[in-house]
Amino acid sequence: MGATGEVAAAAASSSPLHLVVFPWLAFGHMIPFLELSKRLARRGLAVTFVSTPRNAARLAAVPPALSAHLRVVSLDLPAVDGLPEGAESTADVPPEMVGLLKKAFDGLAAPFADLVAKACADGESAAAATATGFSRKPDWIILDFAQNWIWPIAEKHEIPCAMFSIFPAAMLAFAGGREHNLAHPRTAPEDCMVQPPWIPFPSNVAFRRRHLAEWIAAIFRPNASGVSDADRFWEMERNCCRLIIHRSCPEAEPQLFPLLTELFAKPSVAAGVLMPTDDDVASSTSSDHEHSFAPAMQWLEKQPEKSVIYVALGSEAPLTADHVRELALGLELAGVRFLWALGGGAPLLPDGFERRVAARGVVCARWVPQLRVLAHRAVGGFLTHCGWSSIFESLRFALPLVMLPLFADQGLGVQALPAREIGVEVEWSDDGSSFHRSAVAAAVRQVMLEEKGKELARRAEELRGVLGDEARQDAYLDELVGYLQRYK
């Protein structure tokens, strides 16, 4: 090795790790990826976060204190026939167009290859030999489930990859490996409604609601991108993934981490649950939107303590007109105070609904600072789709749940939590087509008006004590950094 090579090698060994972090184009993915990036940057690692221009603009800005360690790089999303102009995330398209968004996402392979090649060239140049951080060749690419096309790029530059799963660990246990599914094919919703045979202990890892099973069965079938989500994950996991990192921990999902390490023949590493911090709550505002939410916040300030149920089903929920009607009439029937983050793209509310509930309910069709609302003294419950992020946000404030999972992995996380009942699920019809207003009202009343709600809140408080142990959660991140250093 020449003198320049020796200097570069010495610099690389003493420099902080450089991670390129690249999530799928859904805010339920981008936000946890960015949160992980911030927490690793606070530990001195150099993190390059990759997305598209519109998504980068919509995500929260990098705090000035982290700018030396965290940067955001945008790649232009290619146009695809049938995909609306300006659509860069799943929040911009209806569910039936997500396959086209994946096709456009696949078109990022070439610009991403150029980004990596430039980083590697910069790191190998004599001028950068003693540089640190972003000037160095990446030590890792941390990717999502969808980039089955990354492995040739990583292989060319000899960069190891890790997958960061934003789902419950139970989701990957349910998915299993390709060989498990070849031995036990799942082609119909009924196949997804029972525990997979490769989970050797009793568990709740199954999609027992038919409408959820139908959504999950679809991940095994090719979509408009030409490939199934399951095949994307299996190809990426097998070809280039040295580690699988989970937004979870053994306290949240007992028994699953050893099983996952065995199923995929590589370490399954806990990153912790990334529960919101006090700083996250304080910063969960936007000057661009604050004015639009001000009337709702003023209303909330006037309500009695723990009297309001906050209703939010995520920014990408596939809400039908029937869903919105039955949910609205169920809230009316329940007779409790509520604040509903409905969103501007949802179907219309029933005629006269807002007038009839004006004395005790507020519907927000625009942006809502969810963490600030959940933290408010007047909020005593959360009607949620049970996305993994929403579960941890609710636990941060020990709020009991009314659970209304609609698609994908929603609901599986609550089922996987260790024998701690923290909510009441809204009953669906036997055929899984919808739910009735009476079921909504019954679940809301149990949580907000009956003794059961107090018991659920106590259990949520207990679980927060376990999963909110900051020292333990910080230790998981430190252990993750150790894995990245040892396995690079």
Side-chain angles (χ1 to χ4, degrees):
M1 183 184 294
T4 299
E6 290 174 357
V7 171
S13 65
S14 60
S15 299
L17 293 175
H18 179 199
L19 314 178
V20 172
V21 176
F22 191 8
W24 159 238
L25 305 178
F27 283 94
H29 291 242
M30 291 183 282
I31 291 172
F33 266 75
L34 184 58
E35 182 59 31
L36 178 66
S37 298
K38 290 177 180 177
R39 297 191 187 205
L40 293 174
R42 290 188 188 106
R43 284 162 168 74
L45 281 67
V47 182
T48 298
F49 183 93
V50 180
S51 192
T52 61
R54 190 173 180 214
N55 290 327
R58 289 185 289 189
L59 290 167
V62 174
L66 295 180
S67 59
H69 298 284
L70 174 59
R71 65 171 179 172
V72 177
V73 174
S74 297
L75 302 178
D76 291 329
L77 191 69
V80 166
D81 288 343
L83 194 67
E85 185 177 355
E88 294 187 11
S89 82
T90 54
D92 301 326
V93 297
E96 60 270 19
M97 287 190 179
V98 171
L100 290 176
L101 187 65
K102 290 188 173 84
K103 186 175 181 179
F105 188 64
D106 293 342
L108 290 176
F112 183 76
D114 292 342
L115 173 69
V116 172
K118 184 178 185 305
C120 292
D122 288 347
E124 292 168 359
S125 69
T130 59
T132 61
F134 309 128
S135 300
R136 294 182 49 238
K137 170 183 173 180
D139 295 291
W140 285 90
I141 299 172
I142 298 181
L143 63 160
D144 214 324
F145 76 95
Q147 295 104 318
N148 57 319
W149 39 264
I150 267 184
W151 66 269
I153 302 169
E155 188 175 63
K156 176 180 178 180
H157 297 286
E158 298 181 328
I159 302 171
C161 293
M163 175 188 169
F164 177 43
S165 172
I166 58 91
F167 304 108
M171 181 63 195
L172 264 62
F174 172 85
R178 189 192 299 273
E179 64 279 11
H180 305 112
N181 285 269
L182 289 174
H184 304 278
R186 292 178 288 189
T187 58
E190 291 79 7
D191 301 327
C192 299
M193 297 173 75
V194 295
Q195 177 175 311
W198 51 83
I199 298 179
F201 45 79
S203 78
N204 289 322
V205 180
F207 292 87
R208 305 191 191 280
R209 296 287 185 189
R210 185 173 184 85
H211 69 285
L212 297 174
E214 289 172 349
W215 271 91
I216 293 301
I219 73 171
F220 299 99
R221 299 191 294 268
N223 53 51
S225 70
V227 62
S228 73
D229 288 350
D231 281 326
R232 285 178 183 273
F233 164 65
W234 289 328
E235 185 175 353
M236 177 274 303
E237 177 271 322
R238 180 178 292 271
N239 287 321
C240 72
C241 206
R242 290 192 190 177
L243 303 173
I244 300 179
I245 304 165
H246 297 268
R247 185 192 183 176
S248 187
C249 64
E251 290 87 352
E253 300 183 86
Q255 297 183 278
L256 288 183
F257 280 82
L259 173 66
L260 288 166
T261 295
E262 179 182 343
L263 287 177
F264 296 107
K266 57 186 54 114
S268 276
V269 183
V273 299
L274 308 183
M275 192 175 288
T277 64
D278 291 342
D279 289 342
D280 295 326
V281 178
S283 63
S284 65
T285 186
S286 166
S287 58
D288 294 336
H289 298 95
E290 187 71 14
H291 178 73
S292 66
F293 185 70
M297 182 56 77
Q298 291 167 4
W299 175 85
L300 197 59
E301 290 287 349
K302 298 175 184 177
Q303 306 312 308
E305 186 171 354
K306 300 294 183 184
S307 66
V308 175
I309 186 165
Y310 174 58
V311 182
L313 299 175
S315 59
E316 298 159 32
L319 287 172
T320 67
D322 284 348
H323 290 154
V324 171
R325 182 188 67 247
E326 295 303 315
L327 182 52
L329 296 178
L331 289 170
E332 183 177 359
L333 190 61
V336 304
R337 294 175 175 85
F338 65 87
L339 193 160
W340 186 358
L342 180 57
L348 294 176
L349 291 162
D351 288 344
F353 169 74
E354 289 185 88
R355 172 180 51 78
R356 294 193 302 271
V357 301
R360 58 179 175 83
V362 172
V363 178
C364 297
R366 300 183 67 182
W367 170 85
V368 172
Q370 180 156 299
L371 286 176
R372 282 178 59 201
V373 172
L374 293 174
H376 198 280
R377 58 159 188 82
V379 173
F382 185 15
L383 195 161
T384 171
H385 61 306
C386 293
W388 205 219
S389 291
S390 291
I391 291 171
F392 296 130
E393 289 178 359
S394 69
L395 283 174
R396 169 68 177 77
F397 309 105
L399 293 173
L401 306 178
V402 173
M403 301 181 292
L404 187 59
L406 294 170
F407 75 114
D409 65 300
Q410 295 170 1
L412 192 64
V414 171
Q415 291 176 194
L417 292 173
R420 291 181 175 89
E421 186 182 359
I422 58 173
V424 174
E425 186 172 356
V426 175
E427 290 292 329
W428 283 66
S429 59
D430 291 340
D431 63 2
S433 61
S434 192
F435 50 87
H436 191 264
R437 65 199 69 170
S438 61
V440 174
V444 169
R445 284 171 178 159
Q446 284 187 72
V447 168
M448 297 300 295
L449 301 177
E450 298 177 11
E451 190 62 31
K452 184 177 182 67
K454 297 177 182 178
E455 178 60 26
L456 295 174
R458 285 193 290 270
R459 293 175 183 174
E461 183 76 48
E462 292 172 3
L463 190 54
R464 178 176 67 173
V466 175
L467 300 183
D469 182 340
E470 292 185 11
R472 178 67 264 184
Q473 294 296 315
D474 283 345
Y476 284 125
L477 284 167
D478 293 338
E479 290 168 10
L480 169 59
V481 173
Y483 270 100
L484 295 173
Q485 290 170 335
R486 292 196 301 274
Y487 278 76
K488 68 177 181 176

